[in-house]
Amino acid sequence: QVQLVESGGGLVQAGGSLRLSCAASGRTFSTYVMGWFRQAPGKEREFVAAITGSGRTPLYADSVKGRFTISRDNAKTTVYLQMNSLKPEDTAVYYCAASSVWSSRPPSYAYWGQGAQVTVSS
């Protein structure tokens, strides 16, 4: 069982930056693939980024590549999402999630946080 708690959301102007954090419980954190997803009003939940258990291999959606960076600190059982050059279309609730397999598909992730609102004003 893994419990996830996101923090760091908020309101920012276009072009600004935010860093989301996701603190995980459990001793087996380093064995999980960690992912970030987002869901805007009226839209389906979409993949943003994922990172392997070791932290060596990241994966990004095309829409955020070059602007967002995913990282993790296994000693602190925390995964981060650094978001730069934010755009109004990045506005959404952002969720972190844990999976036992390498995947960008939401159904592959068994554990989810409660979500953090990110709002980018134009």
Side-chain angles (χ1 to χ4, degrees):
Q1 190 79 5
V2 179
Q3 293 184 325
L4 305 171
V5 179
E6 299 100 336
S7 61
L11 173 64
V12 64
Q13 289 188 332
S17 297
L18 279 175
R19 187 176 83 154
L20 299 179
S21 299
C22 174
S25 66
R27 300 177 183 177
T28 58
F29 176 74
S30 63
T31 68
Y32 287 97
V33 171
M34 296 301 297
W36 286 97
F37 295 80
R38 66 187 182 186
Q39 188 165 19
K43 295 188 177 181
E44 292 188 355
R45 191 167 298 190
E46 66 173 0
F47 171 76
V48 174
I51 192 165
T52 53
S54 66
R56 294 192 189 101
T57 304
L59 177 67
Y60 298 97
D62 288 343
S63 58
V64 306
K65 202 172 294 184
R67 300 188 298 122
F68 290 12
T69 302
I70 188 171
S71 62
R72 67 190 296 161
D73 185 334
N74 285 342
K76 295 182 178 179
T77 64
T78 301
V79 62
Y80 306 96
L81 185 69
Q82 177 67 44
M83 304 183 291
N84 299 329
S85 302
L86 283 160
K87 305 175 181 179
E89 51 263 44
D90 294 318
T91 295
V93 177
Y94 283 71
Y95 299 89
C96 72
S99 172
S100 298
V101 299
W102 180 242
S103 174
S104 62
R105 298 175 61 250
S108 297
Y109 288 74
Y111 304 103
W112 293 82
Q114 83 286 354
Q117 178 69 47
V118 171
T119 303
V120 185
S121 63
S122 57

